[in-house]
Amino acid sequence: MFCVKKNPQYTFDSFLAVKDTLDDLDNPFLVEVLSNLSKEDWGEMHRRLQPFANKLSTSWRATVNEIARPENHPKLRQYDAYNRRIDRIVRPAEALKLTEEVFGEGLFSMKQLTYEGIMKRYLLHGNGEAGITCPVACTDGLIELIEAFYEEVPNEVKEIHTHAKEGIDGNFAIGAQFMSEIQGGSNIPANLLEAVPMDTHYLLYGNKFFCSAVHADYSVVTAKIEGTENIAVFVVPSYLPGDKEKELRNGYRINRLKWKLGTSELPSGEIDYEGAVAYRIGPEDRGVALAVGIVLTRSRLDIGFASAAFVMRAAREAKLYARFRHVFDRTIDGFPMAAAQLEELEGAAKRMTATAFHLYKMFLEQDDYDELQQFALRELILLQKIYAAKELSIIYGWQYPFSAGMVQ
Ligand SMILES: Cc1cc2nc3c(=O)[nH]c(=O)nc-3n(C[C@H](O)[C@H](O)[C@H](O)COP(=O)(O)OP(=O)(O)OC[C@H]3O[C@@H](n4cnc5c(N)ncnc54)[C@H](O)[C@@H]3O)c2cc1C
């Protein structure tokens, strides 16, 4: 009789025993980069980063693995049992808890040391996007945008700023940014979403076609002001005060969630606005400059950090695996060409990490630069984003993603 031979003795246990206790801060190169940046604050910074790194390398990592499973991806429930339109984004309990815990860290709070928030965000990226880091980057953009015009925004927007930055009763707001429309994502000046002026605010009418973090509390939205060619930028609450409990959205419907190959834990939707209350931020005709200069510049920096952290984790785990796995007569790292590949991976991780933090330091110090240097820095941020994403895609063996998502 034909008998299938199995090898029940084969186990990955010794690899997993090491991998599962890998602490992302137990990394001499990273520690050198971070300590150089924080200088005299390093002692206190390390005391704050260590428990964060412990959590994300253990319980959060296990949660992230769980919510990445296809059966746990977000879903859209448009109606409740009584035929009321709710457009609820249904996410697993693990994702809700993780979101609450990460945002509860108050990454943008004034209580953080300089660089603390960004160091924690770099560490967070080591766990993948996980439905977390895109909303974190968007919240950063939301806060920065409001701060640029803080003195002139209405009280409702000041309240949104507090909610996102310092939290209200322990609850921290999540931000999103909706700019892409079906006729062209890169081309924000071609936006057709219409903003109709009212006394103290605007009402939005039209469609946004790629809205990630659609579960957010507030979004930064670009739209054309009625009867003009001016694109302005707005902050739009997902619910008006008192309506969240009733699941009554602020004058918009979520038509569907995108089916995506990557970042599937992150709900990305298509939205129809039917009179959503929106608060304009900044001048009527500066929306594109503000969206790119403030909001997207921060997202670009974040893509540099994300690419670096992905490669760092991949390099560390690949090295461990190559030390564990036997092929022919030796472990993988015993083959010179494989060892060279691992070295290359580690080199890329270090290069990308050091560059991302260096650029961020320049970004924070840019007030000391002249106009030309500031322009050069903006270019550098854009180039670094493109190059880091390209390097990441080569390392992971993906085709360079020329298509969607690359232009911003
Ligand atoms: C996973 C994911 C999440 C996203 N989340 C959001 C979101 O939350 N909010 C949001 O607003 N958008 C979001 N988007 C949309 C994304 O930002 C757009 O896809 C992007 O701006 C590109 O727009 P497009 O796909 O319409 O491509 P197009 O604008 O049609 O461009 C297609 C290609 O044409 C070329 N091209 C376009 N313009 C130029 C130019 N000026 N110079 C040279 N070449 C050019 C590029 O190769 C480009 O990649 C998301 C996309 C993805 C994939």
Side-chain angles (χ1 to χ4, degrees), residues 226-247:
E226 186 194 31
T228 75
E229 287 304 306
N230 292 333
I231 300 288
V233 67
F234 300 86
V235 168
V236 184
S238 299
Y239 301 94
L240 294 177
D243 283 350
K244 189 168 184 180
E245 297 68 26
K246 293 181 251 168
E247 297 191 86

Side-chain angles (χ1 to χ4, degrees), residues 155-208:
N155 286 338
E156 289 88 341
V157 176
K158 289 195 167 106
E159 178 93 350
I160 292 171
H161 176 263
T162 305
H163 194 188
K165 189 160 172 150
E166 303 298 339
I168 295 177
D169 298 331
N171 177 271
F172 286 79
I174 302 174
Q177 44 195 244
F178 306 153
M179 297 172 196
S180 299
E181 296 187 10
I182 195 165
Q183 68 276 5
S186 323
N187 192 359
I188 301 175
N191 273 187
L192 293 174
L193 185 78
E194 197 168 59
V196 178
M198 307 300 283
D199 291 346
T200 55
H201 60 272
Y202 288 73
L203 296 179
L204 300 185
Y205 296 90
N207 179 270
K208 285 286 177 191

Side-chain angles (χ1 to χ4, degrees), residues 177-180 184-186 210-212 260 263 402-405 407-408:
Q177 44 195 244
F178 306 153
M179 297 172 196
S180 299
S186 323
F210 219 131
C211 308
S212 291
K260 292 179 291 174
T263 65
F402 264 113
S403 60
V407 176
Q408 287 194 347

Side-chain angles (χ1 to χ4, degrees), residues 127-169:
N127 278 351
E129 196 289 320
I132 295 289
T133 57
C134 165
V136 167
C138 293
T139 308
D140 191 3
L142 170 78
I143 293 171
E144 279 304 310
L145 179 69
I146 297 174
E147 283 182 2
F149 296 93
Y150 192 79
E151 295 311 324
E152 53 193 76
V153 297
N155 286 338
E156 289 88 341
V157 176
K158 289 195 167 106
E159 178 93 350
I160 292 171
H161 176 263
T162 305
H163 194 188
K165 189 160 172 150
E166 303 298 339
I168 295 177
D169 298 331

Side-chain angles (χ1 to χ4, degrees), residues 136-376:
V136 167
C138 293
T139 308
D140 191 3
L142 170 78
I143 293 171
E144 279 304 310
L145 179 69
I146 297 174
E147 283 182 2
F149 296 93
Y150 192 79
E151 295 311 324
E152 53 193 76
V153 297
N155 286 338
E156 289 88 341
V157 176
K158 289 195 167 106
E159 178 93 350
I160 292 171
H161 176 263
T162 305
H163 194 188
K165 189 160 172 150
E166 303 298 339
I168 295 177
D169 298 331
N171 177 271
F172 286 79
I174 302 174
Q177 44 195 244
F178 306 153
M179 297 172 196
S180 299
E181 296 187 10
I182 195 165
Q183 68 276 5
S186 323
N187 192 359
I188 301 175
N191 273 187
L192 293 174
L193 185 78
E194 197 168 59
V196 178
M198 307 300 283
D199 291 346
T200 55
H201 60 272
Y202 288 73
L203 296 179
L204 300 185
Y205 296 90
N207 179 270
K208 285 286 177 191
F209 200 61
F210 219 131
C211 308
S212 291
V214 73
H215 58 296
D217 301 292
Y218 310 103
S219 47
V220 171
V221 178
T222 49
K224 185 175 279 183
I225 295 180
E226 186 194 31
T228 75
E229 287 304 306
N230 292 333
I231 300 288
V233 67
F234 300 86
V235 168
V236 184
S238 299
Y239 301 94
L240 294 177
D243 283 350
K244 189 168 184 180
E245 297 68 26
K246 293 181 251 168
E247 297 191 86
L248 195 60
R249 289 195 177 263
N250 168 22
Y252 70 93
R253 290 169 180 241
I254 303 172
N255 294 336
R256 59 176 167 171
L257 293 188
K258 300 280 195 195
W259 187 89
K260 292 179 291 174
L261 279 176
T263 65
S264 313
E265 306 91 324
L266 176 75
S268 300
E270 294 168 18
I271 290 182
D272 269 339
Y273 290 95
E274 299 161 333
V277 171
Y279 301 101
R280 198 187 82 224
I281 311 289
E284 273 195 18
D285 58 350
R286 298 281 296 153
V288 177
L290 294 174
V292 176
I294 298 181
V295 183
L296 297 184
T297 296
R298 297 213 152 231
S299 305
R300 288 168 180 168
L301 283 162
D302 210 60
I303 289 171
F305 282 111
S307 305
F310 294 166
V311 177
M312 183 61 85
R313 177 158 165 222
R316 279 157 59 86
E317 293 195 4
K319 207 169 165 182
L320 278 187
Y321 188 71
R323 203 179 300 153
F324 152 81
R325 179 79 166 181
H326 276 262
V327 192
F328 297 103
D329 59 342
R330 64 190 86 169
T331 53
I332 297 175
D333 60 0
F335 293 102
M337 285 171 79
Q341 270 187 315
L342 289 169
E343 220 171 281
E344 211 174 291
L345 194 57
E346 195 176 326
K350 290 177 174 174
R351 187 166 64 239
M352 292 162 80
T353 300
T355 306
F357 279 108
H358 184 69
L359 260 189
Y360 193 80
K361 181 170 181 288
M362 290 170 75
F363 179 70
L364 292 194
E365 291 170 353
Q366 64 177 312
D367 284 349
D368 302 336
Y369 296 178
D370 64 32
E371 213 173 307
L372 195 63
Q373 285 171 319
Q374 287 184 359
F375 178 77

